[in-house]
Amino acid sequence: MNPKRKSRLYLAVFLLVAVSGTTAALMVAMEQNINMFYPPDQVVDGTAPVERTIRAGGMVKDGSVNRDPDSLAVEFTITDHMGSEFVVAFTGILPDLFREGQGIIVQGELAESGRFQAKEVLAKHDENYMPPELMDMAQEIEAQGAAKSSDPRT
Amino acid sequence: MIAEFGQVGLALAGCLALAAAIIGLMPRRMTLAGASQGAVSMVVGQFVFITVSFAALVWCFVTDDFSVAYVANHSNSLLPMQYKVSAVWGGHEGSFLLWILIMCAWMLVLALRGKNYPEGFFTRVLGCMSLLNLGFICFAFFTSNPFERLIPMTPADGSDLNPLLQDFGLIVHPPLLYMGYVGLAVPFAFAVAALMENRVDAAWARWSRPWTNFAWAFLTLGIALGSWWAYYELGWGGWWFWDPVENASFMPWLAATALIHSLAVTEKRGTFKSWTLLLAIAGFSLSLLGAFIVRSGVLTSVHAFAVDPQRGMYILIFLAVVVGGSLTLYGLRAAGQRAYVGFSLMSREFFMLVNNVILVVSLAAVMWGTLSPIGYEALTGDRISIGVPFFNTFFVPLMLLLALAVVMVPVLNWKRTPLQKLKSTFVQALPVAFVLGGIWWFVTEPKYVSVLAALVLALWIVATHARDIWLRSRKSRGLPLAYWGMTTAHLGFAMSIIGIAITATQSIEEDVRMAPQDVSMLGTAEVRFLGVRTVDGPNYQAEQGVFVVTQADGGSFELRPEKRRYLAGGNVMTEAGIQAGFFADTYVSLGEPLDGGAWAVRLHYKPLVRWVWLGALLMAFGGGLAVMDKRYRRLTERRTATVAGAQSAA
């Protein structure tokens, strides 16, 4: 084999190994780290898998935040304002923009009992910002609200 | 009235950009005499009009002109003056105007250095840049006009700048980052011009190199500053989140890093030409992709601007035109660019190739992790997010491999290296690195094999480069700046690796509940919470916690983290208390108030976290150093000398 072909062969082998290695690693990593998102109705009706890391989101129900007096444990209820709600348990510091009525996302595992054990609570850093995951829900609620209250001007 | 001046300036700059693009990109047989001078003056014109436009927006902010919608949404009469100015780029519209201003600045600098390049080629570069600028200006003018008025419903006061952005970090982070993003348009334009003029050669690579280095250095600084800002401003104590928008800036960085190395091979050895062209195209295209991700609102992120599908669509079409157009040109012209230059396995070329493959694979992994949620949603309608472990699984091994390639660079020759020359690296540098790294690793807790690998590799890089400096400076006095630049950047890389490995595994993080006079242990240090008091800022009211940290050696210091409530918007923001040190940071931030005067408190001890950013600073500094090398300056002198010679002969 002349040197030119030889170096090209090395190159081809190297690229092949690199690409196949990456693809394999990609598949494995994807398998373990995809977190599906579920709105409250799917958490309640059993669509969401139990004991797997998932994301769920909705609005924090008014008056539902309950702190443990001695530790950083906290419980609150997430609702879609359309009848579906579930309880989230979390230990740690809640983000600045966490408050009742606010749209938030939690990441963690759903227990058999229907309680959501959150490892992370995400609220965004802008008052007016709505996470895309919650956008549909907000629009739906708005649409229902609009249908109920007939506007006197129209 | 001033706002309208700004708008007119924007429009006029657009007209000039159109004219310059037409002149610059005209087929050669139709080229007019004096096209080059024409293009240069139009570039100067674009700069002048955009400066007027930008100044007008600054004026609107400084004078609190809330009849301008953008000002009303991003400022407030209580805002301190320096933030009124920086609020100009605190939102989508204004930051895009800054983007355009920076584009014009790059073009202006390019135009002033025009005599370094052949006229035809240079005119094409300016034409290509002007065409891109036209795209930007149209985007600003038609979909995100910062000068839109709120008349007659002018609000009495503005709704304030997001408090997270009222910070030194915001003043400098976007301009530096944009310098990098937009700077990648220069190598892109050089690649397009080289393809159009059919001159993909060593000279083209030499011209591209300083511009690429320069843009890359700014991008590095911008990313490092962003990371630092996130660390002290978001109150979470993290410095990298694999957030889509961070990835958006990291992808062009990876491409530009690969491009810098590939350009070196193309210049010195005349090979890798097609690959270099592709990287130049990819670098800028990824900048645009980043802009799309940030400005279209398709992804969840701290940075995402308000959602507007029209803007996303415009950028997507623009991106398609830029990528499609440049790749078509590449397909038509680059086919003939084959170089028959052989090199062996133990050559600098080969390891540059390895470096490029690793960087591009990393790029692909980041891109996959960032964009696959969008694709998944489009295909199935379900929403997913990709967790941080996904990125770490890839990055750690890939960056360690990359470090291995960096070790080899100074000792390898172009084309082929005698094994004898490699001996010292393996027989001397490696054992030293291994012993030192091993000792260091021994004192870490918990111990990870990846940390050992990172420490040994990073120290091996340092040892090999140090040895190389010593050997070379004995042989020749006065090493070229380009060499110092490379070495500094590689040492910076090693420093960042050590910083990342140590801070990611050795940090202590405690979330605790603390009442006044409570004491918590943070590692070996003792943290005492004295209580909270109220402090008034210029436009906020803060609850300031007072903590006294006593270290094991008896030294103590006070930290005062704050919880601020901004008066205009009622936003709450956490300001961490940080005792910064070269070897470790102590970080305290207030969570939320609990019953009985107690607070949820976040206590962090972060060893070597500063090294992450200091390493990045070194890399950027190295990039800048390489630009200052004589070899790029000599180009001008030589050319002037020939011109002078020709004139005197005539």
Side-chain angles (χ1 to χ4, degrees), chain B residues 50-62:
Chain B
I50 291 296
T51 309
V52 167
S53 182
F54 192 79
L57 191 56
V58 174
W59 180 260
C60 293
F61 269 92
V62 171

Side-chain angles (χ1 to χ4, degrees), chain B residues 299 368 370-382 384:
Chain B
L299 288 166
W368 178 263
T370 311
L371 299 183
S372 61
I374 303 176
Y376 193 87
E377 192 189 335
L379 289 177
T380 65
D382 287 332
I384 57 168

Side-chain angles (χ1 to χ4, degrees), chain A residues 11 22 26 29-30 33-37 55 67 69-70 72 93-94 96 124-125 127 129 132-133 136, chain B residues 162 164 300 302 353 361 368 383-387 389-390 394 511 513 563 571 573-574 591-592 594 600 602:
Chain A
L11 183 66
T22 317
L26 209 79
M30 276 296 276
N33 294 301
I34 288 188
N35 306 317
M36 299 278 292
F37 173 83
R55 277 188 174 194
R67 271 209 170 276
D70 304 315
L72 289 179
I93 296 176
L94 294 166
D96 285 344
K124 285 302 162 183
H125 287 277
E127 301 256 295
Y129 179 77
E133 281 96 330
D136 299 347
Chain B
N162 184 338
L164 280 171
T300 314
V302 253
L353 184 65
V361 169
W368 178 263
R383 289 193 162 121
I384 57 168
S385 66
I386 298 219
F390 168 85
F394 274 98
D511 290 351
R513 175 196 174 92
K563 199 80 178 176
N571 281 316
M573 207 202 70
T574 307
E592 59 216 285
L594 307 172
R602 202 182 293 275

Side-chain angles (χ1 to χ4, degrees), chain B residues 532-578:
Chain B
V532 169
R533 61 188 179 195
T534 310
V535 180
D536 284 327
N539 56 341
Y540 60 83
Q541 205 171 45
E543 288 181 274
Q544 188 183 62
V546 182
F547 293 83
V548 177
V549 182
T550 312
Q551 283 161 324
D553 61 13
S556 76
F557 51 86
E558 209 176 85
L559 288 178
R560 294 178 179 175
E562 290 180 0
K563 199 80 178 176
R564 293 179 182 171
R565 175 173 293 279
Y566 282 79
L567 303 174
N571 281 316
V572 177
M573 207 202 70
T574 307
E575 185 84 5
I578 301 174

